[in-house]
Amino acid sequence: MIWIPNQLVGSPLGSDVTLDCILESHPKSVTYWTTKEGQMLMSNTKYDTVMLDSGLYKLQMRLQIKDLVPDDFGLYTCVAKNSLGETEGTIRLYGEHSILAVRADRINFTPMDSETCLLIFAYPPVQTDKSAPITPIIAINLR
């Protein structure tokens, strides 16, 4: 059984963040972390994986992600496997992209269709001429 204390974790760019999963299993499990792409994470200069024994059948899985960049945001999964089966838990890591800080009433945008779009605006985020429209540099269709 896996229990996740915080399924949604937020952290600013450039910081370090720690994700935790609590595991109870018998017999002992093989444990690891994966990214949203399914890539298994090993300890290195970017990631630090630690397993802390906290009882006879209990283990705390901890993943530290260092120096967050936008590509680090997304889903991380803690996985435990033993001879009786497999279980996993997922944590969503989010952060604030400090590219844009504008008032919503200053944005005029008409989507090309009814789908939701993500707008990424040009840097710098502070607009000096408040009467000038803010122009997105890219619009991504999210389906």
Side-chain angles (χ1 to χ4, degrees):
M1 176 180 84
I2 286 183
W3 178 66
I4 301 173
N6 298 300
Q7 294 179 346
L8 186 62
V9 176
S11 192
L13 292 171
S15 66
D16 296 350
V17 66
T18 301
L19 309 179
D20 287 302
C21 287
I22 310 295
L23 166 69
E24 288 186 27
S25 70
H26 183 76
K28 187 174 176 151
S29 296
V30 172
T31 59
Y32 56 92
W33 288 90
T34 63
T35 64
K36 58 190 167 217
E37 294 86 16
Q39 175 188 1
M40 188 183 295
L41 297 174
M42 307 298 245
S43 289
N44 56 33
T45 57
K46 179 68 177 175
Y47 303 105
D48 190 19
T49 59
V50 177
M51 307 304 166
L52 305 168
D53 283 322
S54 34
L56 187 57
Y57 304 113
K58 212 169 186 183
L59 180 73
Q60 182 175 358
M61 299 174 63
R62 181 169 281 170
L63 173 66
Q64 183 182 35
I65 306 168
K66 301 168 191 164
D67 192 22
L68 286 177
V69 296
D71 284 346
D72 294 327
F73 299 132
L75 300 177
Y76 291 85
T77 302
C78 51
V79 180
K81 294 181 180 184
N82 67 15
S83 59
L84 300 178
E86 174 181 343
T87 187
E88 61 184 40
T90 301
I91 299 171
R92 178 176 299 277
L93 176 62
Y94 71 94
E96 182 178 328
H97 296 272
S98 58
I99 296 175
L100 174 67
V102 296
R103 289 178 20 197
D105 63 352
R106 293 282 185 184
I107 299 173
N108 295 320
F109 176 69
T110 305
M112 293 165 45
D113 58 32
S114 62
E115 298 294 327
T116 304
C117 290
L118 169 67
L119 299 179
I120 301 172
F121 291 84
Y123 189 83
V126 178
Q127 186 181 12
T128 55
D129 180 3
K130 299 295 182 194
S131 63
I134 301 169
T135 307
I137 57 172
I138 188 170
I140 301 171
N141 194 3
L142 302 175
R143 289 188 182 198

